[in-house]
Amino acid sequence: MEHDAMKQLMKSLIVALAIVVALPVFAAGQGTLTFDESKAQVSTGDVFDLNVRVAPNGEPLDTVRAIITFDPNVLSATDASLIGAFNRVAPGNGINNTAGWVSLGGFTLDGPITSSGAFARVSFRAKAQGETTVAI
């Protein structure tokens, strides 16, 4: 009986996710990519979104690529899409839930972007209990 109670308690614990923010953009210049959230708490099985923002930091940008890494034992990426000014899909985008990465690149034909704004939205499903880091 005590073993069943412990199993139920373990199933109901919350998954805590610590998110790393403010790391370099994978494009020429001084730009940075950050997540809107620095932490998220979700339950096992929940799907949640992380929005990625780009800050050119004075450098005009026309192309951005983010490589987002995560622990595939704890999370799985379910979707990744461009939002904002970099709305054209660059080659090489994909999700790899075995290795734990999302590669998302976008560009604009509307001229260089010099102001901060939204870049992408990545959806994850919490697969297991634990604490993990999602990094750009």
Side-chain angles (χ1 to χ4, degrees), residues 24 28-29 32 39 44 46 49 63 87 98 100 113-114 118 120 131 133:
T32 56
K39 288 190 175 188
T44 302
D46 285 355
D49 295 333
T63 303
N87 56 1
T98 302
I113 304 298
T114 57
E131 184 171 319
T133 299

Side-chain angles (χ1 to χ4, degrees), residues 3-119:
H3 185 266
D4 290 337
M6 183 59 112
K7 284 174 77 175
Q8 183 61 33
L9 176 63
M10 296 301 279
K11 287 181 183 177
S12 64
L13 290 176
I14 294 176
V15 176
L17 303 171
I19 299 155
V20 176
V21 297
L23 297 175
V25 168
F26 292 92
Q30 299 299 312
T32 56
L33 290 173
T34 59
F35 292 111
D36 277 350
E37 301 286 329
S38 62
K39 288 190 175 188
Q41 288 190 355
V42 297
S43 297
T44 302
D46 285 355
V47 175
F48 63 97
D49 295 333
L50 290 179
N51 291 324
V52 180
R53 296 185 55 79
V54 61
N57 297 328
E59 188 75 30
L61 300 175
D62 61 7
T63 303
V64 176
R65 173 153 311 270
I67 307 293
I68 300 165
T69 58
F70 59 93
D71 182 347
N73 296 311
V74 180
L75 299 174
S76 65
T78 60
D79 188 48
S81 57
L82 298 172
I83 57 176
F86 298 95
N87 56 1
R88 297 190 183 267
V89 177
N93 291 348
I95 295 172
N96 186 323
N97 281 313
T98 302
W101 57 260
V102 174
S103 176
L104 195 57
F107 64 95
T108 180
L109 296 176
D110 297 329
I113 304 298
T114 57
S115 59
S116 297
F119 171 62

